[in-house]
Amino acid sequence: MMEEGLKNYMNTIKETNFRFEHQTGFYRGKVRDVYTIADKYLAMVATDRISAFDVVLPRAIPYKGQVLNQIAAKFLRATADIVPNWVVDVPDPCVTIGRLCQPFKVEMVIRGYLSGHAWREYQAGKRELCGERLPQGLLENDRLPAPIITPTTKAAVGHDEDISREEILRQGIVSEADYAQLEGYTRALFARGTELAAERGLILVDTKYEFGQLDGKIYLIDEIHTPDSSRYFYADTYDQLQREGKPQRQLSKEFVRKWLIDNGFQGKEGQQIPEMTDEIITSIAERYIELFEHITGERFMYPDDVDVQERVRRNIAAALDKVET
């Protein structure tokens, strides 16, 4: 799958250091470089950095930024009738330009199955997650009786933390009226995402959504239904693998976390990130491209550009010329 793209294999975007007209700010997140323009817009570059356990890993993954940005763009378009989103333009495979919103300081995580972090907590003996009771006797990857919302605090640096609805309201992180709207949007988006995944033979296991506010209106921001924010199982083998007690075939970033765990790293103090060999980098890139093609039904288009940084800079600059500053 990677062969035709090998000529650009090392042409990754680990970080950018651009300067644009009317630029009023810059923020480097775990995997995105974000340029504030005229205090009205954000030009968000999806880099090829990869994070796990809230730690940015030392090597970039070829094409990862393009995969995430293009999947997010597709699903933001496909859910715009449910909730308005922040997007103004997608001028480059790795770039989204959108409205500058005030983010809510919570991420709305919703889970339909007992997987990943929720399973690890359950396995450790916990039967309540973010105020949501979990039934006894569940196995890893079992479907939950109904989807549950398990929010996390939004950390600029370090680890996001689980938090309950009651605690969010008690601390005044989000008003009760706004939080009710966020919950409604989260459930509606998850239902739509589940439908879209089923059309492609996939199960949307869990995902997260981020929201912001502008002029009193709530917008869906950031990315949705990507392998960084979501977990997918293959539908055709789900029941049989559960009956046999075998791991699910999945498309998500969980395989990166599992590789790290198997090599003694969970982001805890004193732990060393295992060596990211070329073989590991290639396998991660292939998995990201596999998800792109499977979830979108489209063939991944390898870029021909010799200098991806210059292409990104040029396309952002051209798009910003068209927005009102």
Side-chain angles (χ1 to χ4, degrees), residues 228-244:
D228 270 22
S229 65
S230 312
R231 189 188 327 268
Y232 294 90
F233 293 156
Y234 287 91
D236 60 346
T237 53
Y238 172 77
D239 288 335
Q240 180 180 346
L241 291 174
Q242 282 303 99
R243 284 195 304 269
E244 296 174 354

Side-chain angles (χ1 to χ4, degrees), residues 30 101-110 130 149-156 159-186 189 207-213 218-224:
K30 292 167 190 163
C101 302
Q102 182 63 41
F104 289 100
K105 294 182 180 179
V106 292
E107 293 183 349
M108 301 297 286
V109 180
I110 183 165
C130 301
I149 294 177
T150 58
T152 65
T153 56
K154 179 63 178 164
H159 295 275
D160 299 338
E161 299 289 342
D162 291 340
I163 190 169
S164 68
R165 180 186 197 276
E166 290 68 30
E167 192 62 19
I168 289 168
L169 299 182
R170 189 189 71 78
Q171 293 184 27
I173 298 172
V174 181
S175 73
E176 188 166 2
D178 283 344
Y179 193 80
Q181 201 167 356
L182 297 186
E183 281 190 324
Y185 282 148
T186 296
L189 289 165
T207 191
K208 69 174 183 177
Y209 304 109
E210 297 186 45
F211 298 92
Q213 210 163 23
I218 292 177
Y219 288 85
L220 177 61
I221 61 174
D222 202 59
E223 65 178 22
I224 67 166

